[in-house]
Amino acid sequence: MNVDQLKSYREEIRQHLTNELLPFWENRAVDKANGGFVTHFDNAGNDSGEDEKSLIAQTRTVYTFSSAHRAGYGEGRYAEIARHGVDFLINKMWDNEYGGFYWLMDRKGDVKIDEKIVYGHSFAIYSLAEYTLATGDPRGLEYAEKVFDLLQKHGADTYYGGYFEMFHRNWDLKGPGAAGGDRKTLDAHMHLMEAFTTLYEASGKQVHRRKLVEIIRLLINKIMHPQYRTGIPQFWEDWTVAPQIKFDIIWGWDRFTEDGLKSAAEDNTSYGHNVEFAWLLMHALDIAGIPYDEYHDQLKASYDHAVEYGIDWEFGGVYVEGSHAGEVYDREKEFWQQAEVIIGMLDAYRVYGDDKYLKAYDATHRFVFDKMIHHSVGEWLPLLTRQGEPIWKHMSHSWKVNYHSVRSMVQGIVRLNKLIGTN
């Protein structure tokens, strides 16, 4: 381990985080007229004008400023920005009749889509619990627990396990197919693990720990491939593998065919999700007080599959996805996979000490800083070719906000500090 090299990574991250990335959001996001956050910006960092405020973008921005404040950035300013976002969530996006948060509002705070989507509620729990941990404001934990309780009442599948994900406003389950009522996903359940981790950290309640451990076991025993231990994207309610389709309520900007199916719809896995799952699992185990050794085989498989098949050793960065057995399907480079691999490979190197993880980190770090960051503006480009040429050029929309990029930099510094031996 070259300590000077680690210090060089840390300084490069610190400069970007404090001089480019956090200022980008601090100077643009706060909507002083209507409350909440503006989250749509073009390549130059200008407001691109979409008249929407999504649950996913509002909660993620609350998380970003809460976590940055908790990590010691912003000299108190970020706590106030997070509080501004929480006010909008509670006063505008909360459904006082049926409980839960609406999926989509216009900028003024009028409801555009009133459905209750579990993916969005996972981020409500995550961000609101983080907000209370960061600021001490009890409202965050209060509403995080309310959402948790609603999910146990309306979302939990007490027969097959896990959670249904797509509901009407009154929490009636939506229909099959593109409506999503008959599907369960890796994405939502992984983010529920993430959410329950921070909820338990904030509350200390055993019921939250029990549900965290339950979802960890479900992810490993039902959602990971039985042979390769890689993540399977979509399932039927009984946890048999379902072809990956695009839902009416779309999250992410994955590339689908015209009929709404993924290519290789029953044999694809995301390198970014696999690494994100592994480091989130490590963090969950830390908070729950469970040794990594209990999940050693899963953790190693998640990291090693990405190193062997997902890292582009020629051009740098991590590919989008491929087969469970290893064939790469999509060699483009999307922002969020890079962000998660930066965190995950530092964790893998910290715990297992194998240089291959540090080499994978270096390949991803250099691609991000040399190709993906739009340094003159401050944020990351969303999608590049394998070689690093921009395909999409916007700085932000509802699905590409600040959660992955800022968290990657904040948590990257935390892990580099551990490796260097400083706080």
Side-chain angles (χ1 to χ4, degrees):
M1 180 176 65
N2 185 328
V3 172
D4 288 340
Q5 182 61 56
L6 297 178
K7 288 181 177 178
S8 175
Y9 294 140
R10 182 176 65 181
E11 181 59 18
E12 195 169 16
I13 290 174
R14 189 188 67 80
Q15 289 286 348
H16 170 55
L17 177 65
T18 58
N19 296 329
E20 296 174 349
L21 189 54
L22 285 170
F24 176 94
W25 290 100
E26 180 179 359
N27 295 332
R28 290 170 173 81
V30 176
D31 185 343
K32 295 178 181 177
N34 301 303
F37 302 114
V38 175
T39 55
H40 292 70
F41 301 103
D42 65 17
N43 182 256
N46 298 318
D47 181 354
S48 52
E50 284 86 346
D51 186 22
E52 67 175 52
K53 287 177 176 166
S54 68
L55 178 58
I56 195 69
Q58 297 302 307
T59 53
R60 283 178 166 182
T61 305
V62 167
Y63 172 83
T64 291
F65 283 106
S66 298
S67 63
H69 172 71
R70 189 179 172 198
Y73 300 97
E75 299 177 325
R77 301 188 309 277
Y78 297 158
E80 290 306 311
I81 294 174
R83 183 173 289 109
H84 172 86
V86 170
D87 289 345
F88 184 82
L89 283 172
I90 293 173
N91 297 332
K92 292 288 189 177
M93 299 197 81
W94 182 259
D95 182 346
N96 287 308
E97 183 175 357
Y98 292 105
F101 291 102
Y102 299 117
W103 178 247
L104 191 68
M105 323 287 287
D106 65 18
R107 287 202 180 190
K108 292 181 179 179
D110 295 321
V111 179
K112 294 179 75 172
I113 298 177
D114 65 7
E115 295 176 358
K116 306 295 169 58
I117 309 301
V118 166
Y119 184 87
H121 284 82
S122 72
F123 281 96
I125 295 172
Y126 187 45
S127 64
L128 289 165
E130 181 71 22
Y131 170 72
T132 291
L133 285 165
T135 67
D137 184 341
R139 293 182 303 159
L141 182 56
E142 175 191 352
Y143 277 84
E145 291 195 70
K146 285 182 178 182
V147 173
F148 174 86
D149 292 344
L150 284 164
L151 292 185
Q152 307 317 313
K153 179 179 179 180
H154 298 293
D157 181 348
T158 56
Y159 189 79
Y160 290 113
Y163 296 83
F164 296 106
E165 301 181 19
M166 303 288 202
F167 296 89
H168 296 290
R169 181 190 173 192
N170 66 354
W171 292 98
D172 283 348
L173 190 63
K174 292 178 66 177
D182 60 349
R183 302 274 179 141
K184 294 171 182 172
T185 67
L186 160 65
D187 214 354
H189 285 77
M190 182 183 73
H191 289 301
L192 285 172
M193 177 184 73
E194 170 187 65
F196 293 174
T197 300
T198 305
L199 178 61
Y200 174 57
E201 184 181 4
S203 75
K205 292 184 177 180
Q206 283 301 304
V207 65
H208 298 149
R209 186 184 187 277
R210 289 201 308 273
K211 286 297 179 180
L212 171 59
V213 172
E214 179 183 292
I215 207 162
I216 288 171
R217 291 171 178 165
L218 181 134
L219 279 155
I220 290 171
N221 296 326
K222 298 290 188 183
I223 295 178
M224 296 298 135
H225 193 286
Q227 178 180 353
Y228 299 105
R229 297 181 184 269
T230 43
I232 299 170
Q234 286 185 21
F235 299 84
W236 302 111
E237 65 179 273
D238 64 357
W239 295 108
T240 55
V241 177
Q244 191 177 7
I245 63 170
K246 183 166 63 176
F247 297 126
D248 293 337
I249 296 291
I250 301 168
W251 59 73
W253 282 61
D254 289 333
R255 272 74 67 207
F256 288 83
T257 58
E258 289 184 3
D259 62 4
L261 280 171
K262 268 290 187 74
S263 58
E266 295 188 57
D267 179 24
N268 66 87
T269 192
S270 162
Y271 308 110
H273 267 157
N274 292 334
V275 174
E276 184 179 14
F277 168 71
W279 83 255
L280 286 172
L281 174 57
M282 282 182 162
H283 180 57
L285 297 174
D286 286 340
I287 298 301
I290 299 170
Y292 297 157
D293 287 350
E294 290 193 21
Y295 296 97
H296 173 271
D297 292 348
Q298 176 63 61
L299 290 165
K300 283 284 289 176
S302 296
Y303 290 127
D304 289 351
H305 186 274
V307 170
E308 186 169 356
Y309 303 113
I311 299 295
D312 184 345
W313 297 107
E314 182 177 357
F315 294 102
V318 60
Y319 301 127
V320 171
E321 65 186 17
S323 75
H324 296 284
E327 180 188 356
V328 180
Y329 297 152
D330 189 338
R331 285 180 164 81
E332 293 172 346
K333 310 289 173 60
E334 200 167 9
F335 74 102
W336 67 264
Q337 290 95 335
Q338 320 305 312
E340 299 309 320
V341 167
I342 280 175
I343 303 172
M345 289 304 158
L346 288 175
D347 261 350
Y349 181 65
R350 174 180 63 87
V351 173
Y352 301 114
D354 191 323
D355 282 346
K356 69 182 180 183
Y357 301 125
L358 194 58
K359 290 175 182 176
Y361 170 82
D362 178 77
T364 309
H365 176 107
R366 283 269 51 89
F367 185 85
V368 167
F369 278 83
D370 295 344
K371 300 288 188 178
M372 187 155 274
I373 297 172
H374 191 359
H375 287 285
S376 63
V377 176
E379 246 290 349
W380 300 20
L381 292 160
L383 185 69
L384 309 180
T385 65
R386 180 187 179 192
Q387 293 79 11
E389 294 300 318
I391 298 172
W392 297 336
K393 299 181 180 181
H394 55 269
M395 291 290 94
S396 178
H397 55 47
S398 280
W399 292 104
K400 195 269 174 192
V401 282
N402 38 53
Y403 149 77
H404 288 288
S405 56
V406 174
R407 184 174 71 172
S408 178
M409 299 294 92
V410 169
Q411 294 301 320
I413 289 172
V414 169
R415 283 151 180 77
L416 287 164
N417 282 341
K418 289 179 180 178
L419 288 167
I420 293 164
T422 58
N423 294 319

